[in-house]
Amino acid sequence: EAGVTQFPSHSVIEKGQTVTLRCDPISGHDNLYWYRRVMGKEIKFLLHFVKESKQDESGMPNNRFLAERTGGTYSTLKVQPAELEDSGVYFCASSPMTGVGYNEQFFGPGTRLTVL
Amino acid sequence: AQSVTQLDSHVSVSEGTPVLLRCNYSSSYSPSLFWYVQHPNKGLQLLLKYTSAATLVKGINGFEAEFKKSETSFHLTKPSAHMSDAAEYFCVVSDDYGGATNKLIFGTGTLLAVQP
């Protein structure tokens, strides 16, 4: 079974440009999460989808970030326009929906974003 | 609010010696606690989890952790380090009481180096 995949693995862009990150969760996983780790800081939650609906987007830093999950399958995270402080590693995770207790979140390898 | 504190940013051990990675948590209720590991260029992998069952939790690759409520600690241990254990380790708490998000709150990470 394929794990969570993320594309691209690395992206280098200039300040002011737009970048779109993609996450493909494990097939059948209704929950999809985005997290981010900026340099020297801890990994922080950005948002949570249940199927195509945003369950919690309390961690999104500002309105330059837009996440979508059309059709409840893969998800994209767009940063427009990118700023220097957006540099970091963006992780995606998915988990099944069993409705009881904690469902393990399976993480992708991350996308390393560098804004110059 | 939930939080975790990893007391060491770097730990270096010799191969074959014990590993101790320290973590303290703060929670207003009985928490769900985890240790994740990230090897270079890989995704985050769940090592073990505590969800209010046995206080001594065994995980993969010989790791275990003990939940100590009186000390608000969840330290990760392994009797004998292997070269392949070199990685970054994250202590994590799930912010999920009464909710449906299960978003994870990460510590700042401990980089484990294993010397031959």
Side-chain angles (χ1 to χ4, degrees):
Chain A
E1 178 183 308
V4 177
T5 57
Q6 292 186 246
F7 182 83
S9 57
H10 293 83
S11 180
V12 181
I13 61 172
E14 301 214 340
K15 176 182 171 180
Q17 289 185 321
T18 297
V19 63
T20 300
L21 314 181
R22 174 172 169 143
C23 168
D24 285 79
I26 293 172
S27 177
H29 281 191
D30 288 337
N31 292 299
L32 188 148
Y33 303 81
W34 283 98
Y35 294 85
R36 176 175 77 165
R37 188 181 196 188
V38 297
M39 185 73 73
K41 301 281 190 179
E42 66 271 30
I43 298 169
K44 285 195 171 177
F45 167 82
L46 295 179
L47 85 159
H48 169 214
F49 284 99
V50 177
K51 297 184 180 179
E52 67 276 8
S53 299
K54 292 176 186 173
Q55 182 77 21
D56 181 351
E57 51 184 330
S58 61
M60 294 288 264
N62 52 61
N63 59 10
R64 295 186 293 102
F65 289 75
L66 175 64
E68 295 180 321
R69 193 183 181 195
T70 306
T73 54
Y74 70 92
S75 174
T76 58
L77 180 64
K78 180 190 287 188
V79 185
Q80 180 181 31
E83 298 289 344
L84 298 179
E85 64 264 26
D86 301 332
S87 295
V89 181
Y90 290 76
F91 293 99
C92 176
S94 71
S95 71
M97 181 69 80
T98 64
V100 178
Y102 173 77
N103 299 309
E104 180 181 345
Q105 294 182 28
F106 296 84
F107 281 79
T111 292
R112 182 174 295 277
L113 174 64
T114 302
V115 183
L116 302 175
Chain B
Q2 311 272 70
S3 68
V4 287
T5 302
Q6 291 185 246
L7 301 169
D8 307 292
S9 58
H10 292 80
V11 170
S12 182
V13 300
S14 297
E15 190 174 21
T17 64
V19 175
L20 170 64
L21 305 184
R22 299 181 294 165
C23 174
N24 286 113
Y25 70 90
S26 174
S27 175
S28 54
Y29 47 86
S30 183
S32 296
L33 291 160
F34 315 87
W35 277 96
Y36 276 81
V37 61
Q38 186 181 22
H39 288 90
N41 302 315
K42 295 290 180 69
L44 291 151
Q45 181 184 23
L46 180 66
L47 269 182
L48 50 80
K49 63 182 177 184
Y50 166 77
T51 54
S52 75
T55 56
L56 182 62
V57 182
K58 294 188 183 299
I60 61 172
N61 301 332
F63 284 94
E64 61 182 38
E66 186 171 8
F67 174 75
K68 291 187 176 180
K69 187 175 179 179
S70 61
E71 299 176 10
T72 61
S73 69
F74 190 58
H75 301 334
L76 181 70
T77 60
K78 182 174 180 177
S80 176
H82 191 272
M83 296 296 290
S84 60
D85 294 328
E88 190 163 20
Y89 292 78
F90 297 91
C91 183
V92 181
V93 63
S94 177
D95 186 14
D96 61 353
Y97 185 75
T101 294
N102 284 152
K103 67 184 178 186
L104 301 179
I105 298 168
F106 285 78
T108 49
T110 298
L111 202 57
L112 176 65
V114 182
Q115 311 298 328

